[in-house]
């Protein structure tokens, strides 16, 4: 795997994992909004 | 397992251009995984002693009945801060430190995938804990509602409240960034031939832990954000008077809180899984089944949270579900325990300090696991809930569990970090003192709990006096024993020169680089070999 592809993969994995974290954060706040 | 065919010295020496910057800048602006790992480990040790000092305050007050030294409100503050500091400041950063040091070395990567973020995720931590500790000096004192921060009690915190919330957010951000880095590194930076199932167990357990962190730290952040808006922005998420539900906080908190337990124990499983094969001079028994068991534990950790809330009241089906789901965790955990025993079976075992800590881990963590099984039984939990039995249970899991594994890992990898062998005699003394005193501290707490002594109280009935005194003596002994560890660390550079492989039975890429590990390693990916020649 060349360096360019590796960097692209690193960026993509980081963005996906970060997006999952944000989804959990806002998802659980939305759960609170809907319950209260 | 993987053995590098590349010459270890070449792996260390083919680097090149520069060493570390001189002075404070080396540490402030470091993007080097080894430097950041070192900072994490030192930070966690400092926090271990700060949290430990708070434990000494707690045990001093509880040594004899009656109010002795501190105001009850300050006592509550100590129990709260002790827990927050030990969980988020000592145990978690210690494992992140080990991960920073060892994961790139174990998978043959030159560094973590996102080194600048790595620097940031470390330096957030001292700020977070500086803020948290500063609350002790504020009007109204530090947070005193327990580390669980249940409303409405936590909303009665004085000026410390917003600082508590802010520091928890910062700890969460740091953990999330750290785990993003671990996942991205493991997924993208492995040596060419190292497939996922060939990864060492420490790397595997950290990959699973990082996914757990990604899923649950934002949940804690969401919960404390809602606390903040309830306090300052007129919302009623958890305020019954405004139509909110305080029990919902408990559900959300424990959806974070139970996986958090496994966040603190899965990397410990990984450390022990590295050490036992080394000192038994055998391959880890059932490597793949260990991976599946760890994944299974991680999955189950998401569906057991309400066992912390049996006494809150819930439908019978809920009680049954959470009871049986919790008991189910014993199965994959048992797989791990039996695999470690099978690894040792007929092995040519020796008992250096890392192995001693690992053996104590297996035995004493199992005691914590068994008391956990007792607490999982819903009708029994109604009796045990909020007693010292619970305190004994989770301290058995966290102290001779997580903390012993961290100690084991520190002794195991210390020669690789410093290039010198530590003082084995002092290491063994540290082990025996710690093991004896940890049991004197926490075992009597089982009896106190079964006799009905409630937790989080500064005073108690005279019937609990004897066991409390024994527990306090044990706690002071355990605290003093840790000074031996500090001495071992301070003199770690004075021992005999360590070889590259350090331990006779060690194997894996990290042992192919020189000791001490050079500042840059694996700048060109090692040609890893699938077969582990050392054990064939």
């Amino acid at each position: 795997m060349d360096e360019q592809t590796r960097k692209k993969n690193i960026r993509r994995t980081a963005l996906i994992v970060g997006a999952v974290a944000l989804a959990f954060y806002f998802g659980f706040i939305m759960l609170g909004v809907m319950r209260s | 397992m993987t053995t590098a065919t590349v010459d270890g010295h070449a792996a260390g020496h083919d680097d090149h251009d520069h060493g570390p910057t001189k002075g404070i800048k080396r540490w402030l602006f470091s993007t080097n995984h080894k430097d950041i790992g070192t900072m994490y480990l030192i930070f966690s040790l400092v926090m271990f002693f700060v949290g430990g000092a708070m434990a000494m305050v707690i045990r001093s007050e509880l040594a004899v009945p009656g109010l002795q030294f501190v105001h009850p409100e300050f006592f509550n503050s100590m129990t709260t801060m002790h827990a927050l500091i030990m969980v988020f400041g000592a145990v978690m950063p210690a494992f992140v430190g080990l991960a920073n040091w060892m994961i790139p070395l174990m998978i043959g990567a030159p560094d973590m995938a996102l080194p600048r973020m790595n620097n940031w995720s470390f330096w957030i931590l001292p700020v977070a804990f500086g803020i948290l500790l500063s609350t002790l000096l504020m009007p109204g004192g530090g947070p005193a509602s327990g580390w669980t921060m249940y409303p409405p009690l936590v909303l009665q915190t004085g000026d410390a409240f917003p600082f508590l919330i802010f520091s928890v957010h910062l700890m969460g951000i740091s953990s999330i960034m750290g785990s993003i880095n671990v996942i991205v590194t493991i997924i993208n930076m492995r040596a060419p031939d190292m497939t996922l199932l060939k990864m060492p167990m420490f790397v595997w357990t950290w990959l699973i832990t990082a996914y757990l962190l990604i899923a649950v730290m934002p949940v804690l952040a969401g919960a404390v954000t809602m606390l903040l808006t309830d306090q300052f922005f007129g919302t009623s998420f958890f305020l019954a008077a405004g139509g909110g539900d305080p029990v919902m906080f408990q559900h959300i908190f424990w959806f974070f809180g139970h996986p958090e337990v496994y966040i603190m124990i899965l990397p410990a499983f990984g450390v022990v899984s590295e050490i036992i094969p080394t000192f038994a001079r055998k391959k880890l028994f059932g490597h793949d089944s260990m991976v599946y068991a760890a994944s299974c534990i991680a999955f189950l950790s998401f569906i057991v949270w309400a066992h912390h809330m049996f006494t809150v009241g819930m439908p019978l089906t809920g009680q049954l579900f959470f009871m049986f789901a919790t008991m189910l965790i014993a199965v994959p955990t048992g797989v791990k325990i039996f695999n470690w025993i099978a690894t040792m079976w007929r092995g040519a075992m020796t008992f250096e300090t890392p192995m001693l800590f690992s053996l104590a881990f297996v035995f004493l963590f199992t005691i914590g696991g068994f008391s956990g099984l007792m607490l999982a039984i819903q009708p029994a939990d109604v009796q045990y809930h909020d007693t010292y039995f619970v305190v004994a249970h989770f301290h058995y899991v966290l102290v001779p569990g997580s903390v012993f594994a961290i100690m084991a890992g520190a002794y195991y990898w210390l020669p690789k970090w410093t290039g010198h062998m530590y003082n084995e005699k002092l290491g063994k003394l540290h082990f025996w003192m710690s093991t004896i005193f940890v049991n004197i501290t926490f075992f009597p707490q089982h009896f106190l709990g079964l006799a009905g002594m409630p937790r989080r109280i500064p005073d108690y009935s005279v019937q609990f006096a004897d066991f409390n005194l024994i527990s306090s003596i044990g706690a002071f002994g355990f605290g003093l024993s840790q000074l031996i560890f500090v001495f071992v660390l301070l003199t770690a550079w004075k021992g005999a020169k360590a070889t590259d492989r350090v331990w006779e039975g060690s194997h894996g890429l990290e042992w192919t680089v020189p000791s001490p590990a050079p500042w840059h390693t694996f700048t060109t990916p090692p040609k890893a070999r699938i077969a582990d020649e050392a054990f064939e």
Side-chain angles (χ1 to χ4, degrees), chain B residues 124-267:
Chain B
I124 282 175
L125 272 184
V127 178
F129 283 90
I131 291 169
L132 184 65
L133 286 168
S134 73
T135 60
L136 288 171
L137 307 172
M138 290 177 185
S145 56
W147 84 288
T148 51
M149 298 176 282
Y150 282 177
L153 185 61
V154 72
L155 300 175
Q156 296 171 21
T157 308
D159 291 0
F161 180 77
F163 295 92
L164 167 70
I165 302 299
F166 187 44
S167 67
V168 171
H169 272 121
L170 288 178
M171 294 168 205
I173 290 168
S174 166
S175 291
I176 290 165
M177 290 199 301
S179 45
I180 289 174
N181 225 335
V182 167
I183 292 170
V184 175
T185 305
I186 296 173
I187 298 293
N188 295 293
M189 308 271 287
R190 297 191 312 278
D193 290 343
M194 189 177 278
T195 58
L196 282 174
L197 274 176
K198 300 270 181 325
M199 291 193 312
M201 269 311 291
F202 180 69
V203 180
W204 252 113
T205 52
W206 241 111
L207 181 63
I208 294 165
T209 302
Y211 278 115
L212 286 181
L213 277 163
I214 289 296
V216 301
M217 288 310 290
V219 177
L220 174 69
V224 297
T225 302
M226 286 186 268
L227 282 179
L228 190 76
T229 61
D230 272 7
Q231 183 80 318
F232 294 115
F233 300 103
T235 59
S236 293
F237 287 111
F238 308 123
L239 298 174
D245 182 5
V247 174
M248 183 175 70
F249 178 87
Q250 299 188 22
H251 280 291
I252 297 174
F253 180 86
W254 286 113
F255 186 82
F256 144 80
H258 200 79
E260 173 66 22
V261 173
Y262 294 97
I263 286 164
M264 290 189 284
I265 206 67
L266 283 176

Side-chain angles (χ1 to χ4, degrees), chain B residues 215-512:
Chain B
V216 301
M217 288 310 290
V219 177
L220 174 69
V224 297
T225 302
M226 286 186 268
L227 282 179
L228 190 76
T229 61
D230 272 7
Q231 183 80 318
F232 294 115
F233 300 103
T235 59
S236 293
F237 287 111
F238 308 123
L239 298 174
D245 182 5
V247 174
M248 183 175 70
F249 178 87
Q250 299 188 22
H251 280 291
I252 297 174
F253 180 86
W254 286 113
F255 186 82
F256 144 80
H258 200 79
E260 173 66 22
V261 173
Y262 294 97
I263 286 164
M264 290 189 284
I265 206 67
L266 283 176
F269 288 169
V271 171
V272 169
S273 300
E274 297 298 324
I275 293 171
I276 288 179
T278 295
F279 295 99
R281 291 162 180 80
K282 278 175 69 188
K283 259 182 164 173
L284 179 67
F285 183 88
H287 174 275
D288 294 2
S289 68
M290 291 291 241
V291 172
Y292 298 134
S295 311
C296 193
I297 290 169
F299 169 73
L300 288 172
S301 75
F302 283 107
I303 57 166
V304 298
W305 77 88
H307 68 214
H308 295 271
M309 306 161 53
F310 278 145
T311 55
V312 158
M314 68 179 84
L316 181 65
T317 44
Q319 292 175 12
L320 287 171
F321 173 79
F322 286 109
M323 179 170 80
F324 288 126
T326 305
M327 290 172 151
L328 213 54
I329 296 183
V331 177
T333 312
V335 168
K336 288 191 161 291
I337 302 282
F338 285 116
N339 278 358
W340 289 322
I341 294 169
T343 305
M344 289 184 269
W345 180 254
R346 293 188 168 176
M349 289 168 70
T350 52
F351 300 94
E352 288 85 342
T353 311
M355 182 62 159
L356 288 173
F357 271 109
S358 299
L359 289 175
F361 170 92
V362 175
F363 190 74
L364 298 174
F365 172 79
T366 305
I367 293 178
F370 278 136
S371 57
L373 261 180
M374 291 169 71
L375 288 162
I377 302 166
Q378 194 278 341
D381 182 76
V382 175
Q383 297 298 317
Y384 304 144
H385 186 83
D386 259 349
T387 71
Y388 255 81
F389 190 83
V390 180
V391 179
H393 155 69
F394 68 72
H395 278 98
Y396 259 89
V397 174
L398 286 175
V399 185
S402 304
V403 173
F404 271 29
I406 292 164
M407 295 294 179
Y411 280 110
Y412 184 54
W413 287 309
L414 200 58
K416 180 55 64 188
W417 302 337
T418 64
H420 293 271
M421 298 307 289
Y422 59 87
N423 187 325
E424 187 66 43
K425 268 188 188 162
L426 283 179
K428 282 181 176 163
L429 180 69
H430 174 218
F431 165 76
W432 283 111
M433 298 274 280
S434 298
T435 304
I436 290 165
F437 282 120
V438 87
N439 284 294
I440 294 175
T441 309
F442 298 117
F443 208 80
Q445 294 181 1
H446 290 109
F447 306 134
L448 288 169
L450 292 175
M453 179 173 160
R455 56 190 291 209
R456 292 171 173 151
I457 51 160
D459 188 13
Y460 50 82
S461 166
V462 286
Q463 64 175 316
F464 305 125
D466 294 345
F467 283 131
N468 266 302
L469 183 59
I470 294 169
S471 182
S472 291
I473 291 168
F476 287 117
F478 184 77
L480 288 173
S481 309
Q482 303 322 303
L483 298 177
I484 304 170
F485 182 58
V486 175
F487 186 78
V488 171
L489 291 180
L490 292 175
T491 55
W493 282 264
K494 290 185 176 172
K497 185 89 184 74
T499 60
D500 293 357
R501 202 174 175 188
V502 181
W503 310 107
E504 187 191 19
S506 58
H507 54 103
L509 286 177
E510 72 271 33
W511 306 107
T512 64

